[in-house]
Amino acid sequence: MLNLGKEIEKTAFYQSILKKTKLKVVPALLKKGLSIQEIAELLEIDVEEVRKIVEEQ
């Protein structure tokens, strides 16, 4: 079995998938009543990225 450990987390592919996954949960968190600021802090992403998702809905 591959033993890549933390090294895989540094790849651009991994980072891209991680970001897309975080952005997909934004609508669910909004429905739970979290604010844009709270979501950004929780997911460790930029507030503007959260706002963009909110505006697209």
Side-chain angles (χ1 to χ4, degrees), residues 1 6 8 14-17 23-25 27 32 34 36 39-42 44-45 50 53-54 57:
M1 175 144 186
K6 295 280 183 186
I8 198 161
Y14 178 91
Q15 292 299 318
S16 172
I17 297 299
L23 294 177
K24 284 188 176 191
V25 302
K32 291 287 186 182
L34 274 70
I36 291 174
I39 294 170
E41 289 174 9
L42 178 69
E44 298 177 344
I45 57 177
V50 177
I53 296 297
V54 171
Q57 292 188 356

Side-chain angles (χ1 to χ4, degrees), residues 6-39:
K6 295 280 183 186
E7 291 302 311
I8 198 161
E9 294 177 7
K10 296 177 185 175
T11 66
F13 178 73
Y14 178 91
Q15 292 299 318
S16 172
I17 297 299
L18 180 62
K19 185 172 185 177
K20 287 178 185 176
T21 303
K22 288 180 177 184
L23 294 177
K24 284 188 176 191
V25 302
V26 167
L29 295 173
L30 280 170
K31 286 182 183 178
K32 291 287 186 182
L34 274 70
S35 71
I36 291 174
Q37 182 69 36
E38 290 170 322
I39 294 170

